[in-house]
Amino acid sequence: MTMFQDLIIVSSLTIIIHMIDTFSYSVRLAGVRTRRLALALSLFNILVLISRTSNMVQGPLAGGFVDYGAQTGDLGWVETRFRLIILSATIGSFLGALLIPTFIRIFSKAIVKLELYGSIPHLLRRTLTIGKIRRLGKEFSPPRVNIHRFRIAGVPKRLIILQIAITAIYTVGVLAAMFASLLVPEHATRAVMSSGIINGIATILFTVFVDPQVALLTDEVIHDKKSYLNISNMVGVLIMGKIVGTLIGQLIFIPSAKIIAYFTIFIS
């Protein structure tokens, strides 16, 4: 394949990954609607597998850009490709946000069907037919933004800032590590391997500070201590934070690569 074809594939996979990542915020909404949160989380694991598979394919292709940059010394060429990939993350997050009403509608029905059929393989066998796939278009629900119901004030400011920061780190982590390998070719392997540390930090921050807040609110809504509007508002704010985070990723991409490059030299 040509470099242009590789870029198209990597960008498409990035869009898919970030769409699914955006959908993950609305899984709890579907779980609350159907009162079957555990089933919702279990069913969503199928989409998580698709996302992780896409991530596995994406890495080697993006690595090809680094190899080309190392051979030619054209770092600007590599930077442009990586910035387009980061832009794809923004596009995927935005498309995911637009499709959330449709996703919740389809996913809620799938949750009920999973309870009826009793297993995911049986559910897939009964639902992934040509006729039912064709009817998915009828489930499309246009996005509706009600500014009067949307309140950032009800969401902790720290949570919003953390969401933006975590998304920015996650978006550029692997790409910044790859680009850093071009800045310090003598420590290229060490620089690339540091991506696991960067994404690990982002995962820890999300798991410790963001996800428990959403989980707590979800339980309060399920037990009628708070309204569905509360969690819907929080999910909306977190998704907006995700989109902003991918945009900030463009700003921190090169500084992050330089920090990684400096770190690899410092520890050598």
Side-chain angles (χ1 to χ4, degrees), residues 27-166:
V27 169
R28 298 183 190 275
L29 295 179
V32 169
R33 277 191 177 186
T34 59
R35 299 283 175 170
R36 297 168 176 86
L37 182 59
L39 280 176
L41 296 175
S42 177
L43 181 59
F44 187 72
N45 284 335
I46 295 178
L47 294 181
V48 172
L49 288 174
I50 295 174
S51 175
R52 289 179 178 175
T53 302
S54 299
N55 217 350
M56 290 170 58
V57 176
Q58 178 195 47
L61 293 176
F65 301 146
V66 177
D67 290 340
Y68 180 83
Q71 293 168 6
T72 62
D74 191 350
L75 300 189
W77 184 91
V78 180
E79 179 183 347
T80 300
R81 269 67 186 169
F82 280 5
R83 288 195 180 279
L84 289 174
I85 295 172
I86 297 171
L87 177 62
S88 299
T90 304
I91 294 172
S93 300
F94 184 72
L95 289 177
L98 292 179
L99 291 173
I100 275 182
T102 302
F103 174 79
I104 292 177
R105 187 171 178 178
I106 295 174
F107 197 72
S108 296
K109 291 183 177 181
I111 293 171
V112 175
K113 293 292 185 182
L114 176 58
E115 184 178 41
L116 176 64
Y117 296 138
S119 71
I120 290 179
H122 193 191
L123 170 67
L124 295 176
R125 187 167 62 251
R126 295 292 296 271
T127 56
L128 293 182
T129 63
I130 295 178
K132 291 184 178 179
I133 292 175
R134 287 177 177 173
R135 288 199 295 270
L136 283 179
K138 297 180 180 179
E139 300 293 339
F140 176 75
S141 179
R144 297 182 296 273
V145 179
N146 192 331
I147 301 298
H148 298 290
R149 293 175 59 185
F150 191 74
R151 295 288 185 272
I152 294 180
V155 182
K157 302 298 185 296
R158 183 184 67 174
L159 194 67
I160 300 172
I161 294 172
L162 277 171
Q163 171 68 355
I164 293 173
I166 290 168

Side-chain angles (χ1 to χ4, degrees), residues 9-28:
I9 294 173
V10 172
S11 298
S12 299
L13 291 175
T14 302
I15 289 174
I16 292 172
I17 291 168
H18 282 267
M19 278 183 64
I20 293 175
D21 194 38
T22 304
F23 288 155
S24 68
Y25 294 96
S26 63
V27 169
R28 298 183 190 275

